[in-house]
Amino acid sequence: MKRDLDRYKDKLTPEEERRIWGRMRSALHEDRDEDKSWRLGLWLSRAAIVAGTAMLAVAIWRAGSPPPNTTLPEAPLQPDRYLSKKMEPKSAPGIDAPAHDDDNSLKPDGILPIPGANQLSTDARSAAPPMEAPEIYSEMKATRPSDDEIIAHRERQPIMLADAGEIRGSVFNEYGEPMPFIKVTLNDTPWGTIVQDDGSFRIRNLPAGNYTLSVMEAGYHEVNLSNLNVKERELLELNVALETDSPYGRICGRILNSAGEPVAGARVQVLDGGGRAVTADDGSFCITDVSAGRHRIYVSARDYQALTLEDIDVERGLENDLVANLTNADVPDKKSKGKKESTLSGGKLHYESAPSEEAITSMEIAESEQVASSVTRSDQVRLMEAGGSTAGESRYGSATGGLQPVNDELADDMFFKHYGVNPFVAADEDALSTFGLDVDTGSYTIARNYIRKGKLPPQEAIRVEEFVNFVRKNYDPPEHDDFSIRVDGMPSPFAPVQDGSYQLVRVGIRGRVVDSEDREAVQVVLVIDTSGSMRSENRIELLKSSMDILLDELRPDDELGIVAFSNTARVVLPMTSLKDEEKIHRAIHSLQPNGSTNVEQGLEFGYAMLREAPHQSPNQRIILCSDGVANEGNTGWEKILENVKESSDRIMLSSIGFGMGNYNDVLMEKLADAGDGQYAYVDEIGEATRVLRENITGLLQVIARDTKAQIEFNPEIVERYRLIGYENRDVRDADFRNNAVDAGEIGAGHEVTVLYEVKLKDRNRQGELATVRLRYEKPEGGRFVELEEIAQVNRLEARIDDAPADLIFDACVAEFAEILRGSYWAKESTLPPVLDLARGAIERMTSRPDLDEIYLVMQKAAAISRP
């Protein structure tokens, strides 16, 4: 070793020589007390090889060319290579070894499902990378590649800590289909991840130890795999097969003509269950969430004779596989009353006369719901005119039941409203920005549901502030007041001009924290939609599972009542103490969907139950759970609240939305807004957990009513500003101190984030940037309070790289929403740069499965929008 060191001594700096000698001495010292056996010789030889390799590499890098008579490897030494050494597993019994690509991620066929049971293997082991390599790297920091090169390399090969292990696997349902976007967590630890599109997941850099892995999804039995022994440098592989907990099955199959050719666009409907589908180009269809039992299925297509499939047997959790043949409409005659029978697996089919005009119109509307998730008003008019209706009047009723069109519109489908995009405002002309605060998140989860289903959401469904407020920040809570206020900022990363004049300013607000045991006792009435549309997509089962979570978080001194509504409303359970929790569970799980949707009467019963409760709690709340497609009674939010809410009511109305395909975001969001509550949308059991467990105290205990924010920008510093989002929360500047003007409600511990894009007159000028004011009513006593915080220019970071990682991620989420809604201010933006910046921010933070999930949604949206 000394000869090797002397050979390259003239090419080493004194510092490099000292470090190499120190490492060699450490290696020798560590082995000195070991057994004087062959192991000592082996380790000394290895140390000599390592030291020689290090000196050779340093000499080559410094000289720029190899020394004479030296043979080098074909590829140059790559220090990062050893830190990101892949763990190549052996094949475990019963499990195929996963395929790897350059970024060490699973391929869709990397791990095959094992039907019928959850299987686990701990025999898959990885080849340990050379132990010395990280030590070599630590001695070469002075000559390492550039930061950009290292980041790019890590993008390709994620770093695996030397003392860490990894859990990798796949999640499938009983049909062998992947279950993407559900959470996989390790109990009692901060570690977890989100299942990818192909059903795969991986949890890296796990300290050695025993873990319990949990997978939970609405409508499926929860899976807990315990005693997972993770060892250093070992890969643990497993498959998770989720088994249904739903009383529903599904009917899938193909519709062919008499020649055996596929019939595209055929309409298939379960006559007694409400499920329906339209066949694809290959004639295939699939109707999910069909209740167990025997059903009649109606099939029709243009130019073909309609038929009915009789006695189709649907078993719980199982899939039927049907093939039905349609006969050309001319054979037999379309008007013939005769029937031609033939045998079909699972039941009988017979041909019958053409369906009635009403049935045809209903089918056409059903088809439109399958083809497009949101139709324009002109499309609605065309559909109704095709059925022969007069303007403003539904001749055949609603496709989801009932006699009145929803939202007082012409037809029912997905309903959203676009509130415009805030412009830039010159601070010299108007220095005040005033709006109501809220903590709603429904817009993000609706968009997430669209994207997971492979479609971009309608632009009018996007409210930027609800995307930003979905991201947890962990702002410091206040020490004395009800709220803490913090202001920070950085150069706007997506501004058209990157000269530092455009700044992204963030106003972060955190409500005081109230422990669960310290909150006020609450009286809650669940107003639950049990209309026929709640059977679609298994909505009712997701709702029941969500309510189970809520019940687990309520205290014995709380009270709860249940009102169910379809055509009419009914009291399912009077106000009952949570001491009788089992009785409440039974009442919730007894609910079955049927009929149309009378939201107005459901809320009327809910308000009445609270007003007439024997014990009047000061903390009363209604939680409306529905898809919002009101089609009985009044169907617009203003008329509904006008009829059910009294001016003296202190009852707060929150809404939780369920469903996709026919969903009324306008009604659900506006009811919560005008009802002094919060609005959330639940598309999975993980979101129910976030809303009803992690944020339960904020949902049940309000610390501020009619909360308004007013930011006054200093026109000497600020040239112009733009509020990002909150378009539907605008309040006139003159009404900031008008206590009669309704605004938002904030719960205990809630966080609110407000983003502005600000153009400074002079980036180098210091002074007062803005004054932030909050005004709200304290629930106890009705007294109004006003808080104020002055923000200085020096709170703005000079460089994006110096800004907090969560601020950078907020900027990415806001830009993502701006792109989705087609904002004028994002017309030149694309998603790839947003993804790059977001990934860098995530890598700077500790493990955050919620951020990983948002990043995956952004990735999928980019893939959908790509031509």
Side-chain angles (χ1 to χ4, degrees):
M1 289 188 291
K2 186 175 184 305
R3 285 197 302 271
D4 290 336
L5 187 62
D6 292 338
R7 180 177 180 181
Y8 296 104
K9 186 174 182 180
D10 59 333
K11 300 187 182 298
L12 300 173
T13 65
E15 179 66 14
E16 289 168 338
E17 183 179 355
R18 183 186 63 79
R19 287 182 178 179
I20 293 174
W21 271 112
R23 182 59 59 196
M24 292 168 58
R25 284 195 299 270
S26 296
L28 291 172
H29 178 74
E30 291 171 0
D31 287 337
R32 185 166 298 159
D33 296 329
E34 296 291 326
D35 181 41
K36 305 301 183 178
S37 63
W38 59 271
R39 293 185 179 85
L40 178 60
L42 176 62
W43 281 102
L44 288 175
S45 300
R46 182 176 294 182
I49 295 172
V50 169
T53 304
M55 290 184 291
L56 180 62
V58 171
I60 292 171
W61 285 357
R62 291 185 58 83
S65 60
N69 303 321
T70 302
T71 301
L72 295 178
E74 295 182 3
L77 184 63
Q78 300 177 5
D80 259 4
R81 185 185 213 170
Y82 297 97
L83 283 178
S84 57
K85 180 70 176 179
K86 294 180 182 177
M87 301 198 308
E88 300 293 347
K90 300 176 182 178
S91 295
I95 300 180
D96 293 340
H100 295 270
D101 57 12
D102 289 341
D103 65 357
N104 204 22
S105 64
L106 281 173
K107 298 290 188 182
D109 58 348
I111 298 180
L112 300 178
I114 302 177
N118 299 317
Q119 301 204 14
L120 171 66
S121 170
T122 56
D123 293 332
R125 312 225 184 256
S126 63
M131 292 296 291
E132 304 84 5
E135 304 294 344
I136 296 174
Y137 178 76
S138 67
E139 297 299 335
M140 296 183 178
K141 289 182 179 178
T143 56
R144 68 175 186 152
S146 69
D147 289 341
D148 289 342
E149 292 172 334
I150 289 177
I151 291 174
H153 189 72
R154 288 174 181 170
E155 291 278 340
R156 295 189 300 270
Q157 294 183 327
I159 290 177
M160 172 58 65
L161 300 180
D163 60 348
E166 177 176 326
I167 297 177
R168 184 183 298 175
S170 298
V171 181
F172 292 83
N173 64 16
E174 67 272 20
Y175 303 118
E177 300 168 338
M179 298 285 290
F181 301 115
I182 64 177
K183 289 184 180 179
V184 178
T185 57
L186 298 180
N187 292 358
D188 302 322
T189 77
W191 292 290
T193 189
I194 304 297
V195 178
Q196 306 263 344
D197 277 352
D198 59 3
S200 65
F201 68 88
R202 60 183 302 186
I203 306 176
R204 299 184 297 111
N205 296 336
L206 287 174
N210 289 326
Y211 297 92
T212 296
L213 182 140
S214 293
V215 184
M216 184 171 61
E217 176 69 351
Y220 292 86
H221 292 291
E222 180 178 357
V223 174
N224 289 286
L225 302 180
S226 57
N227 297 322
L228 302 183
N229 187 12
V230 175
K231 299 180 180 179
E232 295 181 4
R233 296 184 175 278
E234 288 195 1
L235 172 66
L236 195 61
E237 293 183 72
L238 55 94
N239 283 353
V240 179
L242 294 181
E243 297 180 359
T244 185
D245 189 27
S246 168
Y248 301 102
R250 60 185 187 178
I251 301 174
C252 300
R254 299 183 69 200
I255 305 300
L256 310 175
N257 61 20
S258 55
E261 300 167 337
V263 178
R267 296 174 290 275
V268 185
Q269 183 170 13
V270 180
L271 292 178
D272 52 353
R276 55 200 175 193
V278 177
T279 58
D281 289 343
D282 62 354
S284 63
F285 72 92
C286 199
I287 303 174
T288 60
D289 307 327
V290 182
S291 59
R294 293 185 176 274
H295 295 274
R296 298 169 63 238
I297 300 176
Y298 182 84
V299 183
S300 66
R302 182 171 298 179
D303 299 328
Y304 289 93
Q305 179 72 36
L307 63 85
T308 300
L309 309 179
E310 299 281 0
D311 296 330
I312 304 302
D313 190 19
V314 176
E315 296 184 27
R316 173 176 172 167
L318 298 180
E319 176 178 322
N320 289 263
D321 186 13
L322 302 180
V323 177
N325 293 88
L326 290 174
T327 301
N328 189 281
D330 295 331
V331 184
D333 188 279
K334 183 176 182 180
K335 298 180 181 180
S336 171
K337 300 295 183 180
K339 299 179 180 179
K340 179 181 178 181
E341 295 189 357
S342 63
T343 302
L344 176 71
S345 174
K348 294 183 178 181
L349 64 85
H350 63 261
Y351 302 103
E352 59 184 26
S353 58
S356 65
E357 197 174 356
E358 289 83 357
I360 292 174
T361 302
S362 178
M363 285 296 187
E364 287 176 347
I365 295 175
E367 180 180 19
S368 73
E369 292 179 346
Q370 296 290 332
V371 172
S373 58
S374 179
V375 295
T376 63
R377 188 179 182 87
S378 61
D379 288 331
Q380 295 167 358
V381 172
R382 174 183 57 76
L383 283 171
M384 298 309 296
E385 289 178 347
S389 65
T390 56
E393 179 181 353
S394 173
R395 179 175 177 184
Y396 304 115
S398 164
T400 54
L403 300 176
Q404 300 300 321
V406 298
N407 268 357
D408 299 322
E409 296 287 347
L410 291 177
D412 47 345
D413 199 356
M414 299 293 289
F415 288 90
F416 303 103
K417 183 175 180 179
H418 202 299
Y419 295 95
V421 179
N422 287 327
F424 269 99
V425 177
D428 290 333
E429 299 177 5
D430 183 3
L432 296 175
S433 173
T434 310
F435 54 95
L437 288 181
D438 72 33
V439 291
D440 295 349
T441 59
S443 178
Y444 169 75
T445 45
I446 287 173
R448 178 177 68 187
N449 203 358
Y450 267 101
I451 292 168
R452 287 176 174 177
K453 293 177 183 294
K455 294 182 179 181
L456 293 181
Q459 293 181 354
E460 59 268 25
I462 307 302
R463 294 183 289 273
V464 179
E465 72 277 8
E466 297 185 24
F467 276 59
V468 176
N469 282 323
F470 184 84
V471 184
R472 178 169 48 85
K473 311 298 190 308
N474 290 327
Y475 298 138
D476 292 332
E479 295 182 1
H480 306 291
D481 297 320
D482 289 317
F483 294 100
S484 63
I485 304 172
R486 65 176 270 186
V487 180
D488 56 5
M490 65 179 182
S492 181
F494 306 109
V497 179
Q498 293 293 323
D499 60 358
S501 60
Y502 283 94
Q503 295 283 310
L504 185 72
V505 177
R506 178 175 67 174
V507 179
I509 299 166
R510 176 74 183 274
R512 61 181 168 86
V513 177
V514 176
D515 292 335
S516 176
E517 58 271 18
D518 295 332
R519 68 164 172 82
E520 295 177 347
V522 64
Q523 288 179 320
V524 179
V525 172
L526 302 178
V527 179
I528 297 177
D529 186 348
T530 57
S531 64
S533 59
M534 291 299 290
R535 177 179 290 116
S536 177
E537 300 181 306
N538 220 14
R539 297 174 196 175
I540 192 68
E541 294 304 313
L542 178 58
L543 186 155
K544 292 176 183 178
S545 298
S546 301
M547 294 305 102
D548 285 342
I549 293 174
L550 172 63
L551 294 184
D552 289 343
E553 298 305 313
L554 294 177
R555 299 194 315 237
D557 57 341
D558 296 327
E559 293 180 286
L560 184 140
I562 301 174
V563 171
F565 64 91
S566 52
N567 303 64
T568 58
R570 61 188 176 94
V571 174
V572 176
L573 184 73
M575 199 64 69
T576 302
S577 169
L578 261 293
K579 295 176 182 177
D580 200 353
E581 185 177 343
E582 186 57 36
K583 181 179 180 181
I584 301 174
H585 275 289
R586 288 197 305 269
I588 290 175
H589 285 273
S590 70
L591 300 176
Q592 295 299 325
N594 188 37
S596 54
T597 312
N598 196 333
V599 174
E600 179 184 26
Q601 194 172 98
L603 289 176
E604 183 180 359
F605 277 40
Y607 274 93
M609 183 182 291
L610 287 173
R611 293 190 197 108
E612 298 169 6
H615 164 66
Q616 289 289 308
S617 169
N619 187 13
Q620 294 183 319
R621 182 173 297 274
I622 290 175
I623 301 179
L624 171 65
C625 303
S626 173
D627 57 20
V629 187
N631 47 37
E632 291 282 359
N634 285 306
T635 62
W637 67 270
E638 291 176 297
K639 290 183 179 179
I640 289 176
L641 283 183
E642 179 183 333
N643 289 342
V644 304
K645 187 177 181 181
E646 298 177 358
S647 58
S648 60
D649 280 335
R650 302 297 285 175
I651 300 169
M652 305 187 72
L653 168 61
S654 292
S655 62
I656 302 177
F658 297 84
M660 179 64 69
N662 56 314
Y663 180 75
N664 194 340
D665 174 73
V666 177
L667 180 67
M668 298 296 284
E669 194 265 342
K670 281 299 185 182
L671 283 176
D673 180 19
D676 299 329
Q678 297 146 31
Y679 167 49
Y681 174 85
V682 170
D683 59 341
E684 61 178 13
I685 196 63
E687 184 61 18
T689 301
R690 192 188 73 84
V691 172
L692 298 172
R693 177 169 294 157
E694 298 171 8
N695 298 326
I696 187 61
T697 305
L699 177 67
L700 297 179
Q701 172 130 7
V702 170
I703 62 172
R705 295 176 181 265
D706 293 332
T707 312
K708 303 170 196 163
Q710 186 175 79
I711 288 80
E712 181 176 2
F713 289 96
N714 182 0
E716 296 182 0
I717 299 290
V718 176
E719 179 179 321
R720 54 183 178 169
Y721 62 88
R722 175 174 75 94
L723 174 60
I724 303 176
Y726 290 96
E727 284 85 1
N728 66 333
R729 302 292 178 178
D730 185 54
V731 173
R732 292 194 317 146
D733 295 336
D735 287 334
F736 177 64
R737 295 184 175 90
N738 183 350
N739 297 338
V741 173
D742 184 54
E745 279 63 41
I746 308 297
H750 276 161
E751 298 175 318
V752 186
T753 299
V754 182
L755 297 178
Y756 283 92
E757 193 167 30
V758 174
K759 189 175 190 301
L760 304 180
K761 291 182 176 179
D762 182 356
R763 176 64 185 90
N764 298 316
R765 184 173 179 177
Q766 297 298 307
E768 182 180 311
L769 175 72
T771 301
V772 180
R773 300 185 183 94
L774 293 184
R775 184 175 177 82
Y776 60 95
E777 178 190 4
K778 295 180 75 70
E780 57 279 5
R783 180 171 59 93
F784 279 84
V785 178
E786 192 169 314
L787 303 178
E788 181 175 293
E789 177 79 11
I790 297 177
Q792 302 290 330
V793 175
N794 60 15
R795 295 193 184 182
L796 308 178
E797 298 291 347
R799 299 169 59 248
I800 294 176
D801 291 345
D802 297 331
D806 65 336
L807 172 58
I808 297 174
F809 194 79
D810 278 349
C812 296
V813 171
E815 189 70 7
F816 173 49
E818 289 276 76
I819 292 172
L820 287 181
R821 72 168 174 169
S823 169
Y824 173 84
W825 308 111
K827 61 182 180 180
E828 303 297 331
S829 293
T830 59
L831 284 177
V834 179
L835 285 166
D836 291 343
L837 191 61
R839 183 183 180 95
I842 291 174
E843 289 180 347
R844 288 175 52 188
M845 291 185 272
T846 55
S847 176
R848 290 279 300 273
D850 56 330
L851 302 189
D852 293 338
E853 174 220 281
I854 296 172
Y855 183 80
L856 284 174
V857 171
M858 294 166 66
Q859 269 190 324
K860 190 169 182 65
I864 296 170
S865 60
R866 189 177 301 132

